[in-house]
Amino acid sequence: MDSDFLPRIGITIGDINGIGPEVILKALEKQKITKLCTPIIYGSGKHLSKYKSELGFHDWQFFTINNTKQANRKKFNLVNCYEGPNFELTLGEVKKEAGQLAFQALKRATEDLKNGYIEALVTAPISKDNTQGEEFNFPGHTEFLADAFGVEDVLMFLVSDDLRLGVVTGHVPLEQVKKQINKKSISKKLDLMKTSLINDFGIQKPKIAVLGLNPHAGENGMLGKEEEEIIEPVVNEYRSKGNLFFGPFPTDGFFATQQWKQYDAVLAMYHDQGLTPFKMLAFDSGVNYTAGLTGVRTSPDHGTAFDLAGKNEANPGSMMQAIFAAIDIYKNRRLNEELTSNAISPVEIKKIIKANKEKN
C-alpha cells in the first residue's frame, strides 16, 4: 500500500442552519488533518462563508473546486452543490431550502463515492423533515445509502474506541420492532457485523454479545418468548459453527455491570436499546458507521442540534472521530484486500493492521 497516498474524504455540509458546519469547521481547524487525508466538503461556498463569519472563523479558508480531480491535498476543498432559489442563513431554524442543499450535497457526494472519486464519506447531520422529497423518501442517511448502493441490507454500527454496537432494527416505530425480530433479520445483522469487524477493524475472530428484546431477556418466557424461540436459537446455531457469539443478555444488567467490555461488539434489537447506552458512554467520541456498503461512510453520532446553532458551543469531538474512523476503515479495507490476495495468514494480517494503527 502506498504510504504517501492520502485518501480523499468527502464531508457533506448537512443542514446549514444546524451545528453540522460548525463541527466541520472546528474539526478541521483543530487538527493537522491534511497530513492524514485530503478533505473535500460538499455544500455551498456562499453559505459556508456566511456561517464561518457568524462564528468568527475569519482565518479559516477553503479552496473552491468543481470536481475532486481539482482537490488540493494541502487545503480544505469545497465542491459547490446547491442549485435552487437563493436563501439566507437562519441559524437554528428549519428551512426548506436548507434541506434541499443538504440533499444535493449528499447526492453529489454519494455519487462520487460510488464512482471512486473519493475514498470515504463523512456526513454531517440533516433534518429529516426538510430533506424529504421525491428523491429522498427515507428515514435517514443509512436507508438512503443502502438504496443508492443497491444493497438489500446494511448495519447501523455505532463505534468508539471502547464500544462497538449495532442494531437489528433501525429507524422504525417501536410498535414495528417486534414484527421485524426474526431469525433472518438477526442472522443478517450478525453476518454484517462479523464481516465488518474482520475487514474494517482487523478483528479476525470477533467475540459478539447479543442482547434480548424483552425486560430481563424474557425471564425464561414469563416476559416474552422471543429470546427462547428466536434469539437464543440463532446465537446457538452460530456458536455451533465456531463463532464466538453469546446471549441473549438483559440490557440493563449487561451495561450496568460493564459486561460489554468483554466483547468486540454488541448487537441490540432496536434503536434506543442500543443507542441510549452508547451515547451515554461515548457521546462526544462516538461514530455512526454504515457497515455493508462497498464504500466507507461514517458520521457523528449526534443530530442537527438547532438549539445550539450559532452559539459556538458545539463539541466537534464526534465529527473528528468520524473523520479519523473513515480514514482508518478505508486503510484497513485496503490493507486487508492486499494481504488476503497475497495469501497471508489472518494472524499476520492482524499483526500488520495493529502495527499500522500504532504507526498512525
Side-chain angles (χ1 to χ4, degrees):
M1 184 166 62
D2 184 1
S3 59
D4 294 328
F5 175 74
L6 293 180
R8 296 160 297 184
I9 306 298
I11 306 171
T12 58
I13 199 69
D15 194 300
I16 196 71
N17 288 321
I19 64 168
E22 179 181 341
V23 295
I24 292 172
L25 292 170
K26 289 180 175 178
L28 298 182
E29 178 196 47
K30 292 186 177 182
Q31 300 293 326
K32 296 180 179 179
I33 200 73
T34 53
K35 292 185 177 181
L36 300 174
C37 70
T38 300
I40 303 173
I41 301 170
Y42 290 77
S44 162
K46 170 189 172 183
H47 292 93
L48 185 59
S49 294
K50 179 65 175 176
Y51 199 108
K52 69 187 189 72
S53 177
E54 289 278 345
L55 268 64
F57 284 78
H58 301 296
D59 296 330
W60 199 101
Q61 302 296 324
F62 59 84
F63 180 55
T64 303
I65 59 178
N66 295 317
N67 56 66
T68 58
K69 292 181 180 179
Q70 299 173 342
N72 188 318
R73 62 184 292 175
K74 295 182 179 181
K75 296 183 179 181
F76 305 137
N77 303 275
L78 181 137
V79 176
N80 273 313
C81 301
Y82 182 61
E83 295 181 359
N86 291 328
F87 71 97
E88 296 300 319
L89 199 67
T90 52
L91 296 179
E93 297 181 18
V94 178
K95 201 163 189 174
K96 181 180 178 181
E97 292 82 1
Q100 287 182 283
L101 168 57
F103 169 68
Q104 290 171 11
L106 175 62
K107 182 180 179 181
R108 173 70 182 273
T110 300
E111 287 301 314
D112 281 359
L113 181 63
K114 289 171 61 178
N115 290 323
Y117 300 151
I118 55 176
E119 277 62 57
L121 172 62
V122 180
T123 58
I126 61 174
S127 171
K128 298 176 180 62
D129 290 338
N130 69 356
T131 310
Q132 295 296 317
E134 289 185 9
E135 294 186 83
F136 190 96
N137 186 22
F138 303 93
H141 282 109
T142 303
E143 295 81 4
F144 169 80
L145 288 162
D147 181 75
F149 276 85
V151 296
E152 182 181 349
D153 205 1
V154 293
L155 174 71
M156 184 187 295
F157 208 0
L158 283 297
V159 300
S160 70
D161 288 340
D162 300 317
L163 174 62
R164 303 179 190 89
L165 187 146
V167 292
V168 177
T169 60
H171 297 125
V172 300
L174 190 57
E175 65 180 359
Q176 296 294 323
V177 168
K178 186 175 179 179
K179 299 176 184 178
Q180 296 186 24
I181 298 298
N182 53 61
K183 178 180 179 180
K184 182 179 180 181
S185 63
I186 297 172
S187 298
K188 280 186 175 182
K189 300 302 182 180
L190 283 171
D191 288 338
L192 287 166
M193 180 174 282
K194 178 183 176 181
T195 299
S196 179
L197 290 169
I198 294 171
N199 295 336
D200 303 331
F201 298 94
I203 302 170
Q204 295 305 310
K205 190 70 174 179
K207 186 178 180 183
I208 297 175
V210 180
L211 301 181
L213 173 66
N214 299 295
H216 305 289
E219 197 75 79
N220 296 319
M222 291 180 59
L223 301 178
K225 301 290 186 181
E226 285 77 16
E227 285 75 15
E228 290 184 344
E229 296 178 356
I230 302 173
I231 304 172
E232 187 173 2
V234 172
V235 173
N236 289 340
E237 181 179 339
Y238 273 92
R239 196 159 60 245
S240 71
K241 297 177 181 177
N243 295 288
L244 300 179
F245 297 178
F246 302 90
F249 296 101
T251 303
D252 53 356
F254 182 81
F255 285 101
T257 60
Q258 300 190 50
Q259 280 181 274
W260 58 270
K261 292 185 176 181
Q262 302 172 25
Y263 298 89
D264 296 306
V266 180
L267 182 66
M269 293 297 110
Y270 58 95
H271 186 279
D272 284 16
Q273 180 191 39
L275 271 68
T276 298
F278 182 86
K279 290 190 176 185
M280 289 184 67
L281 293 165
F283 185 72
D284 291 331
S285 61
V287 175
N288 182 357
Y289 169 54
T290 307
L293 300 175
T294 53
V296 176
R297 176 262 174 167
T298 66
S299 74
D301 69 346
H302 58 71
T304 52
F306 286 120
D307 57 318
L308 288 180
K311 297 180 180 179
N312 204 5
E313 297 176 0
N315 189 324
S318 186
M319 174 57 78
M320 285 191 289
Q321 292 304 316
I323 296 171
F324 295 151
I327 297 169
D328 288 343
I329 292 169
Y330 166 73
K331 287 184 175 180
N332 282 344
R333 281 192 182 187
R334 196 173 176 207
L335 183 59
N336 190 61
E337 289 173 0
E338 292 181 6
L339 296 176
T340 302
S341 65
N342 292 326
I344 298 178
S345 71
V347 174
E348 289 300 314
I349 291 174
K350 186 175 182 179
K351 288 181 180 179
I352 294 172
I353 290 176
K354 182 179 180 181
N356 187 53
K357 285 183 179 180
E358 292 174 350
K359 180 180 178 181
N360 292 331

